[in-house]
Amino acid sequence: MDNFEAYGSWWIPGGSPTTGKLHFSEKGPILTVYGALLSQGDPDGEPYGTTEWGTIPLIHGRDEQHCSITLIGAFGMTSQWPEITEQAFEVELAVAGGHLPHANFSGIRSDFDYLADWVGAPPVSKRQKEPRATLVDDKITEHVSAAWGDVSLTIRSGVTGSSDENRFSARRWCAFSAESGSPQRWSDLLEPYLRPFHDLLLLSTGRELQMKDVELLPEGSKEWMTAYFRTLTPGSPAESGVSSSVRGSTLLTAENSSVPLSELLPRWFALYQECQTVIALLHAPLYAPFIYSAHRYASFFQSLEAYHKVRKENFGSRDVSREEHKARVEMVVSALDAAGLPQGHVQWARNVIQGRNDKPLKDQIVDVVSSTGKLGQRILETVPDFPRIIADARTGVSHGGADKGSNATQRYWCGEVLLWLMRVRLLQDLGVTDSDVRALRNTRFQESLKQLSSGT
């Protein structure tokens, strides 16, 4: 996905064209027109209506290469003044490949950094010794097809390229797609389907990665159209792989998964619905790799807290049973009465302690850490004070005083161990039961735990 400028003609369906350019960058698509996109008003030159800002649902365009483009949701000044000769519109979505009469889509697909390596896509070519030649395999490979409700989820890979009399070039593509039986807005496909798959790759690889090329399938069409929108980041694709070696950060690939990919995808989408807040907090620093240590650590820790809340039926959310809590409240209140304190003070104390039977934070940490099996056991053996250390660090960044507790380096290693811990916990929920053993073998996890135990 690269920055670009497309010069050409632009018009509202049924209206007159005007010249302009579409610019795409990290700020998203922006349309600049050099004439009247809307009607100018009455013959006397008075503008029609008052100055208003609003959204134009659809704009059609054609660039200098005769490519048809549709812009959806262009925000700008919708009234026209004779003295204004240039206007800019912030565009929600630009799709290249046709003029759409509507903004409904039935499918979305995208390539991601490392996806081909993660899914085990075959190489583009093979070299033969006799005769000396390079054979290009142009077959499309379907790696998985699974259903989630009325949506079909697939991962396919293949080869695309170009040639002339003097040269030939080819590259491998690999894409995840979701196709729905119910056409909807593009954002209603992005959030429930593309984003969860993006998060699955983040969980598996433990590193930041980006969507590369996104395409949409318009309602009633069989032709995919390239999409451009603000959250896409132009730039060079990642080149290195994500093999699950002990020196990398990858815990799961399609090849080494104990759960077949056709089962893993539906399980993940179900888990995502259940643990969306947990996953959003865990992965926030990976979506924003430049982040200060306090923010990064707080996000990882809040993911653990959110997980305990989601699994409160398993872990329990009370400090003691209701009966035990009632008895200790009465014991405290009786002692206050016996001490002769004013009844107003006694009633205030009763009101405060009656509702405070929630499980202490350190106990919540122990619950989640211990639930990861061998990984949690190793953490607690190596750093016995782990629950207290990370709870104190959390208090510092969440309630002030971070400068008086753990320093930035200590918070970093606390965060690293928490990231490994929560990744393992979620993978175990998917049925990848040996993910704790995989983490224990990993040299990056071992180094993180060593740094934390040394008090660096």
Side-chain angles (χ1 to χ4, degrees):
M1 185 65 63
D2 298 319
N3 292 331
F4 70 84
E5 288 187 347
Y7 292 85
S9 298
W10 307 91
W11 64 93
I12 294 173
S16 301
T18 187
T19 58
K21 70 175 180 180
L22 177 67
H23 177 75
F24 175 70
S25 68
E26 63 278 356
K27 295 180 180 180
I30 296 177
L31 174 68
T32 303
V33 293
Y34 306 111
L37 191 61
L38 300 171
S39 59
Q40 282 282 3
D42 64 38
D44 297 327
E46 292 297 323
Y48 179 78
T50 58
T51 301
E52 293 183 355
W53 293 79
T55 300
I56 301 173
L58 287 175
I59 297 175
H60 290 165
R62 185 171 288 108
D63 68 11
E64 294 174 319
Q65 283 70 47
H66 305 289
C67 175
S68 297
I69 302 171
T70 299
L71 309 181
I72 295 172
F75 178 80
M77 193 171 72
T78 55
S79 58
Q80 300 290 312
W81 294 82
E83 62 268 24
I84 296 178
T85 58
E86 179 177 318
Q87 283 183 270
F89 293 84
E90 295 181 0
V91 179
E92 176 188 330
L93 174 71
V95 285
H99 291 148
L100 301 180
H102 52 69
N104 294 325
F105 301 90
S106 58
I108 190 168
R109 71 183 182 188
S110 178
D111 195 352
F112 294 86
D113 291 338
Y114 315 116
L115 175 57
D117 192 35
W118 183 83
V119 82
V124 170
S125 62
K126 296 179 181 178
R127 294 191 66 84
Q128 283 189 329
K129 292 183 179 179
E130 295 295 340
R132 291 186 178 180
T134 299
L135 301 180
V136 176
D137 185 355
D138 61 353
K139 296 190 297 296
I140 294 178
T141 302
E142 183 170 279
H143 300 278
V144 63
S145 179
W148 170 246
D150 70 340
V151 175
S152 173
L153 309 172
T154 60
I155 302 177
R156 297 185 179 94
S157 65
V159 175
T160 185
S162 61
S163 63
D164 58 28
E165 294 180 353
N166 300 313
R167 63 178 60 86
F168 173 82
S169 65
R171 70 174 183 87
R172 181 174 62 181
W173 60 264
C174 186
F176 165 81
S177 66
E179 295 185 47
S180 172
S182 305
Q184 49 206 290
R185 284 179 50 83
W186 73 279
S187 56
D188 293 331
L189 291 168
L190 177 74
E191 289 290 334
Y193 305 114
L194 216 55
R195 177 182 171 184
F197 184 75
H198 196 165
D199 276 305
L200 176 60
L201 292 178
L202 288 172
L203 185 74
S204 300
T205 63
R207 66 175 78 181
E208 60 268 15
L209 52 87
Q210 298 176 358
M211 290 183 290
K212 292 158 76 172
D213 297 314
V214 176
E215 295 179 303
L216 290 163
L217 184 64
E219 178 185 4
S221 173
K222 295 183 179 180
E223 298 296 327
W224 292 84
M225 298 174 65
T226 304
Y228 302 90
F229 50 95
R230 184 167 186 173
T231 55
L232 280 175
T233 304
S236 301
E239 297 294 341
S240 59
V242 291
S243 60
S244 54
S245 68
V246 296
R247 293 182 298 276
S249 57
T250 300
L251 282 176
L252 179 72
T253 65
E255 182 181 10
N256 71 11
S257 174
S258 56
V259 181
L261 203 53
S262 58
E263 296 179 22
L264 188 74
L265 283 182
R267 286 189 193 182
W268 171 249
F269 276 82
L271 181 64
Y272 192 88
Q273 286 191 339
E274 186 181 6
C275 297
Q276 187 167 351
T277 301
V278 177
I279 297 164
L281 288 166
L282 183 66
H283 288 162
L286 300 182
Y287 280 110
F290 177 75
I291 188 170
Y292 291 105
S293 69
H295 306 143
R296 180 179 181 275
Y297 175 76
S299 192
F300 290 153
F301 189 93
Q302 287 165 359
S303 177
L304 182 148
E305 288 185 284
Y307 185 83
H308 194 280
K309 186 175 182 179
V310 169
R311 294 283 184 260
K312 63 183 178 182
E313 296 300 324
N314 298 338
F315 296 132
S317 58
R318 299 188 186 96
D319 185 21
V320 296
S321 69
R322 288 175 177 169
E323 293 74 17
E324 291 175 293
H325 181 61
K326 182 178 179 181
R328 70 182 178 183
V329 168
E330 293 304 324
M331 187 182 301
V332 171
V333 171
S334 297
L336 295 177
D337 276 330
L341 268 68
Q343 281 302 303
H345 291 17
V346 174
Q347 186 59 45
W348 170 81
R350 178 191 289 274
N351 293 341
V352 170
I353 64 177
Q354 267 183 336
R356 297 312 305 264
N357 190 25
D358 44 315
K359 183 174 285 190
L361 182 58
K362 290 180 184 177
D363 291 348
Q364 295 181 39
I365 296 169
V366 172
D367 284 343
V368 179
V369 173
S370 300
S371 73
T372 59
K374 295 179 180 179
L375 181 77
Q377 182 180 349
R378 175 70 61 81
I379 291 172
L380 295 175
E381 287 175 351
T382 307
V383 189
D385 284 343
F386 182 72
R388 179 191 60 79
I389 292 170
I390 66 171
D392 289 349
R394 176 262 195 191
T395 301
V397 299
S398 298
H399 301 291
D403 56 330
K404 299 176 182 178
S406 301
N407 58 38
T409 302
Q410 290 169 327
R411 281 196 301 268
Y412 174 83
W413 294 115
C414 284
E416 282 297 290
V417 173
L418 276 173
L419 177 59
W420 283 97
L421 174 81
M422 291 306 301
R423 289 174 63 208
V424 166
R425 180 61 271 170
L426 290 168
L427 287 173
Q428 288 175 331
D429 285 351
L430 282 178
V432 186
T433 55
D434 65 339
S435 54
D436 57 340
V437 177
R438 297 183 189 189
L440 286 172
R441 290 197 301 257
N442 191 281
T443 55
R444 292 195 178 191
F445 169 75
Q446 294 168 7
E447 180 62 20
S448 299
L449 195 58
K450 177 183 176 181
Q451 292 291 337
L452 185 58
S453 65
S454 68
T456 300

